Amino acid sequence: MPENIIGDRVSAALEDHQKHIIMAHRFLIKDIALQAGLGPATVDRVLNRRGNVRQQTIDRVQQAIVALEEQRQQLAMTGRKILVDLVVEAPQTFIEALETACRSELPLMRPAVIRFRSDLRMRFPVADLEKRLEQVLRRGSDGVILMSPAADRIKTMVDRLEAAKIPVVTLATDLEDTNRTAYVGLNNRRAGGTAAWVANKWLASVAEPTVLMTLRNERFKGEEDRAEGFRQAFTGRRPDAEVLELVEGRDRPRFLEQISSIATMQRIDALYSIGGSNRAILDALAQQGIRPQIVIAHDLEPDNQALLGTGEIDFLLYHDFQDDIRNACRVILSKHFGTKPPTSSKNNSLRILVPPALD
């Protein structure tokens, strides 16, 4: 076959992988040959487009170069210390679960060594949170994992961190209208829609059902998204339904009084607890002689597992914190080492637990 035809074939085959051909000069021909299982002379012919080479051989050389490049990236990570700031406002049960996940997951994050600089608080005023992120910006960091309210001042800080090449990964509750690098956790709107689907099935025979929906903190976009996802999906299927919304905020006694007051005035067919405090909520309803037909809650915390075990919670939605931490760290590593970031499924780690699964 004429040499120029072979040359055209090689050019076409390598066009989509031109960057890998450039990378080939980083590796010795003998190393490429060893990786590809070919002779050095054959590899030399492919790289220099000398002809008399089959397409299968060209493909093997391409694959070998890609594999060597991936190995080079992995070796570059070995022993590299990555400092990540974990900045979170969350309930104590969430913080405890997150700390447990970090202790389990970080030792497995190899070949790089990842260290967390953590600031986890139950109450993290926006001004203090902004100050903390300012410190991260000033001192430097390899990345930030952030769970915070959707305040404009925090969004501005996220954009400033990203502009300084400090990747920010939002956790559990997203800040979509920022330049954050990625989000890990539940698709909160989908989770709310899932809860609505279950409630609708459970209450199919109930005329004009009433659902009590409770939130812990309306400052968190994640909770708002769950509530909106539930409301739209449930009332969309049941126009005759009523969804009552209560926010706990920082005044739990008043919140429980409101629940008791509602329970004395009307029937509660379902409870969708987005924000927690489930034992206290169920006790407040029980004092008025009410046990909703279905109770749907969020998060795999010890209290919720106990309530699930006794049948007081019927359906629990949760996400795996170890998955979240692992994916957040992988995103940050990918930014530093130019590797492909982890892909996120449409379900975004949504998991479901019902009482029989505890047996």
Side-chain angles (χ1 to χ4, degrees):
M1 185 177 292
E3 184 173 327
N4 65 325
I5 295 178
I6 292 293
D8 290 344
R9 285 179 55 195
V10 174
S11 297
L14 299 183
E15 183 175 354
D16 292 338
H17 300 273
Q18 188 62 39
K19 63 180 180 179
H20 297 310
I21 293 303
I22 295 171
M23 289 174 187
H25 297 290
R26 300 180 184 179
F27 311 115
L28 297 174
I29 286 179
K30 68 177 184 179
D31 291 335
I32 300 171
L34 182 63
Q35 183 73 34
L38 298 169
T42 302
V43 172
D44 182 71
R45 284 201 302 275
V46 172
L47 295 179
N48 292 288
R49 308 185 184 189
R50 292 199 174 95
N52 298 322
V53 183
R54 293 181 301 170
Q55 182 62 48
Q56 183 181 8
T57 302
I58 296 170
D59 292 341
R60 287 175 63 180
V61 172
Q62 291 174 338
Q63 292 163 8
I65 293 170
V66 172
L68 286 170
E69 178 60 25
E70 290 173 349
Q71 293 168 25
R72 185 192 67 80
Q73 291 171 337
Q74 186 178 32
L75 287 171
M77 294 185 202
T78 302
R80 169 81 179 269
K81 293 181 179 179
I82 301 294
L83 180 62
V84 175
D85 284 276
L86 182 63
V87 183
V88 169
E89 178 185 350
Q92 185 60 36
T93 52
F94 187 106
I95 289 173
E96 291 171 358
L98 191 60
E99 288 177 328
T100 299
C102 290
R103 285 194 296 269
S104 299
E105 199 60 35
L106 286 187
L108 305 177
M109 297 298 297
R110 295 289 187 262
V113 177
I114 297 180
R115 294 186 298 115
F116 274 175
R117 187 163 55 189
S118 300
D119 194 345
L120 315 178
R121 308 186 196 180
M122 290 181 62
R123 301 295 182 191
F124 214 145
V126 170
D128 292 347
L129 186 53
E130 181 184 36
K131 182 179 178 181
R132 183 70 180 85
L133 295 177
E134 283 273 11
Q135 291 173 345
V136 172
L137 183 62
R138 185 172 64 253
R139 296 172 182 170
S141 177
D142 292 308
V144 177
I145 301 174
L146 174 67
M147 180 176 173
S148 76
D152 289 340
R153 291 159 66 181
I154 304 306
K155 294 177 184 179
T156 298
M157 283 306 309
V158 169
D159 289 341
R160 289 180 62 192
L161 287 163
E162 288 284 351
K165 306 301 182 184
I166 300 175
V168 178
V169 179
T170 51
L171 171 68
T173 182
D174 199 7
L175 301 176
E176 295 167 314
D177 51 347
T178 67
N179 293 324
R180 57 95 175 119
T181 292
Y183 165 72
V184 296
L186 287 180
N187 180 323
N188 287 297
R189 190 173 293 271
R190 188 184 297 271
T194 301
W197 183 88
V198 173
N200 180 61
K201 290 289 185 180
W202 207 292
L203 302 176
S205 62
V206 178
E208 299 181 349
T210 299
V211 178
L212 175 61
M213 180 171 67
T214 60
L215 294 80
R216 187 188 302 270
N217 194 333
E218 61 187 352
R219 297 186 304 144
F220 282 87
K221 189 173 183 300
E223 291 198 13
E224 291 181 355
D225 285 346
R226 291 178 190 179
E228 186 62 24
F230 181 88
R231 191 183 299 105
Q232 287 185 355
F234 191 72
T235 58
R237 294 187 180 96
R238 296 296 303 269
D240 62 328
E242 183 178 9
V243 178
L244 307 174
E245 180 177 323
L246 285 179
V247 179
E248 179 177 342
R250 299 188 178 186
D251 191 346
R252 177 179 284 194
R254 181 174 178 276
F255 169 68
L256 296 176
E257 287 174 5
Q258 289 178 307
I259 289 175
S260 297
S261 176
I262 289 173
T264 61
M265 293 186 293
Q266 62 186 104
R267 184 184 77 229
I268 304 295
D269 298 299
L271 169 65
Y272 176 39
S273 174
I274 292 173
S277 302
N278 295 315
R279 190 175 293 279
I281 293 171
L282 290 170
D283 286 347
L285 291 173
Q287 288 171 10
Q288 304 302 324
I290 289 180
R291 198 297 183 185
Q293 292 192 36
I294 180 170
V295 176
I296 303 171
H298 277 271
D299 297 331
L300 195 61
E301 59 186 55
D303 218 26
N304 282 347
Q305 292 186 65
L307 291 169
L308 196 71
T310 58
E312 294 170 89
I313 289 178
D314 303 294
F315 196 85
L316 193 65
L317 298 166
Y318 72 100
H319 54 116
D320 190 312
F321 286 114
Q322 285 188 229
D323 279 353
D324 292 343
I325 291 298
R326 184 186 313 120
N327 288 330
C329 289
R330 288 173 63 198
V331 166
I332 291 170
L333 287 173
S334 73
K335 291 288 286 188
H336 283 283
F337 295 104
T339 56
K340 184 178 180 181
T343 56
S344 178
S345 71
K346 291 183 179 179
N347 290 323
N348 283 333
S349 73
L350 176 63
R351 289 169 170 78
I352 295 168
L353 192 62
V354 293
L358 295 177
D359 295 340

